Amino acid sequence: ILNVEQSPQSLHVQEGDSTNFTCSFPSSNFYALHWYRWETAKSPEALFVMTLNGDEKKKGRISATLNTKEGYSYLYIKGSQPEDSATYLCAFPNAGNNRKLIWGLGTSLAVNP
Amino acid sequence: EPEVTQTPSHQVTQMGQEVILRCVPISNHLYFYWYRQILGQKVEFLVSFYNNEISEKSEIFDDQFSVERPDGSNFTLKIRSTKLEDSAMYFCATRSDFGTSVGKNIQYFGAGTRLSVL
C-alpha cells in the first residue's frame, strides 16, 4: 500500500519567519510528486509538480526540492506572510494512465501578523 | 483562468437519502476524478473517469456510489443511500492529457462540496 507522510502536522510562525515542511513518499516506481496549497473554502491550488531527482522549483517566496532516491521532498517558505496561512498537501500519483493521487495528511500553517 | 466548479458548496441530508454532487470540469480536459476528505483524515481517491467510463475505483466506491457525465459537460457523483460515515468534503478534479509532461499531470480542483449526513 502506497503511503505518503507529511510533517509537521501543524505549524505556527510569526510573520517574517522562514519555514519548511517535509513530505516522504515511496522511492520505488517514482513518477512525480505534487505540492498543493489549500485555503479553507477555496480550491486546492497546484504549486509544483516535481519529476526529476534533485529538482528545485520556485514560485515567489515558495520553493521545493526533491530527492527521489531517498523518497522525500521539502517545501520552503521564505519570509512567511499571513496570506501564506493554508494547508500544504503533497500527493503522489500512481504511474499508470490514470494518475490517481495518493495524499499526505498535510501541514497546516498559521502565520501570525 | 479556467476553473472547476462544484455545486452545491454545502449539502445537508438525512441518512438514507440520495444525494447528487455536481462538477463542471474545465472544458478540454479528458480525465475526471472524485476525491473525499473526512475531517481529520487524508484526502482519499474515490473514482476516476475517462472516455465516458470509470477507469479506476477505490474500495470505498461501492454499489452505493455512481458517476456519470449525462450531458457531456457536468460530471456527477451520486450516493444512493447516504450513511453517517459519508459525511466529508468531496472534491472533483480534472486533468488534460495535453502539453508538457508536467502540465498534463496537474489536476485542477473545485472548491469542494461539504456533505453532512444527519
Side-chain angles (χ1 to χ4, degrees):
Chain A
I1 296 176
L2 296 177
N3 199 28
V4 177
E5 298 294 338
Q6 290 186 248
S7 64
Q9 197 168 327
S10 67
L11 202 51
H12 292 254
V13 301
Q14 289 298 124
E15 183 175 353
D17 288 351
S18 293
T19 187
N20 64 86
F21 340 122
T22 306
C23 172
S24 61
F25 53 86
S27 55
S28 59
N29 296 319
F30 178 82
Y31 179 75
L33 186 83
H34 296 226
W35 280 101
Y36 280 86
R37 178 175 182 275
W38 180 31
E39 283 184 74
T40 305
K42 294 187 178 178
S43 305
E45 172 200 358
L47 288 174
F48 305 113
V49 176
M50 309 188 76
T51 55
L52 298 175
N53 185 43
D55 217 1
E56 182 169 343
K57 296 206 172 184
K58 193 172 178 183
K59 193 174 187 177
R61 293 178 291 98
I62 305 177
S63 60
T65 60
L66 180 68
N67 183 323
T68 60
K69 293 183 180 177
E70 294 181 41
Y72 64 83
S73 175
Y74 293 137
L75 189 80
Y76 300 91
I77 302 180
K78 185 177 176 182
S80 303
Q81 300 295 308
E83 58 264 31
D84 296 329
S85 298
T87 298
Y88 292 83
L89 295 153
C90 70
F92 184 82
N94 74 335
N97 286 336
N98 188 38
R99 315 255 173 94
K100 71 178 183 187
L101 294 175
I102 310 298
W103 297 82
L105 188 56
T107 294
S108 175
L109 174 68
V111 182
N112 301 316
Chain B
E1 186 174 313
E3 59 182 24
V4 177
T5 305
Q6 286 187 246
T7 54
S9 57
H10 191 190
Q11 174 88 51
V12 181
T13 191
Q14 295 290 327
M15 192 169 58
Q17 295 296 302
E18 175 183 286
V19 294
I20 298 176
L21 310 183
R22 291 184 167 79
C23 171
V24 179
I26 295 172
S27 62
N28 61 348
H29 283 195
L30 301 177
Y31 292 86
F32 311 116
Y33 306 83
W34 284 101
Y35 296 87
R36 77 174 185 188
Q37 186 187 36
I38 295 170
L39 194 62
Q41 297 185 20
K42 292 180 179 181
V43 175
E44 47 192 356
F45 166 79
L46 293 177
V47 67
S48 58
F49 193 84
Y50 172 72
N51 202 25
N52 288 320
E53 61 183 23
I54 290 174
S55 51
E56 186 174 349
K57 57 184 181 180
S58 70
E59 290 177 358
I60 303 164
F61 196 89
D62 62 21
D63 292 345
Q64 293 302 311
F65 290 86
S66 62
V67 288
E68 63 176 5
R69 204 167 175 224
D71 54 10
S73 59
N74 290 301
F75 177 51
T76 62
L77 174 69
K78 182 193 288 187
I79 310 175
R80 287 190 185 81
S81 178
T82 50
K83 303 189 279 282
L84 294 175
E85 53 265 36
D86 293 329
S87 295
M89 179 73 89
Y90 287 80
F91 289 104
C92 170
T94 73
R95 177 172 73 85
S96 78
D97 201 31
F98 308 113
T100 65
S101 61
V102 169
K104 65 183 180 182
N105 274 291
I106 296 175
Q107 292 185 23
Y108 294 85
F109 283 79
T113 294
R114 181 165 296 287
L115 177 64
S116 300
V117 183
L118 306 178

